[in-house]
Amino acid sequence: MAEYPYPETGISQETRATMYPENYSDKYNKVFKQFVDDILTPVLPIDRLENHDILLDELELLYDAHMTIGGQQNRFNASVIRAAINVIKSIQ
């Protein structure tokens, strides 16, 4: 039986580098940097509005509802809602 060297199975290192350019350390570094960026980057709240028209409309509806129901507690609630409306209007 003659000894012939068997060809190496699998892909070469050059092909592997071309197909899979990132190794584990590169992937870990990229994920870690993204994680740090996500933590340290300030995020502006998305619920800030240019104006408060929607909130004022809702408060006006609540105010009207409390004023039409009647009763001492409802009038007190209406006065608190009216105060909130006035404060929001003064901020704008």
Side-chain angles (χ1 to χ4, degrees):
M1 186 183 239
E3 301 222 5
Y4 296 109
Y6 289 103
E8 187 177 325
T9 58
I11 58 176
S12 68
Q13 188 60 32
E14 181 181 352
T15 306
R16 187 183 314 275
T18 303
M19 290 174 62
Y20 310 106
E22 298 175 342
N23 56 25
Y24 179 78
S25 297
D26 292 338
K27 288 180 183 179
Y28 180 81
N29 190 23
K30 187 184 293 183
V31 169
F32 182 73
K33 284 182 178 179
Q34 182 65 39
F35 176 70
V36 170
D37 287 345
D38 288 345
I39 291 175
L40 298 179
T41 304
V43 177
L44 298 175
I46 58 173
D47 59 348
R48 302 235 173 173
L49 300 174
E50 298 281 327
N51 57 33
H52 298 88
D53 291 338
I54 297 171
L55 177 61
L56 288 172
D57 290 342
E58 293 296 324
L59 287 174
E60 288 287 345
L61 290 173
L62 283 172
Y63 173 78
D64 291 339
H66 282 285
M67 284 303 286
T68 56
I69 292 173
Q72 192 173 12
Q73 182 64 45
N74 286 325
R75 286 193 184 135
F76 175 77
N77 293 346
S79 66
V80 171
I81 292 170
R82 176 53 62 191
I85 291 169
N86 293 337
V87 168
I88 292 170
K89 285 183 178 180
S90 69
I91 292 173
Q92 288 184 338

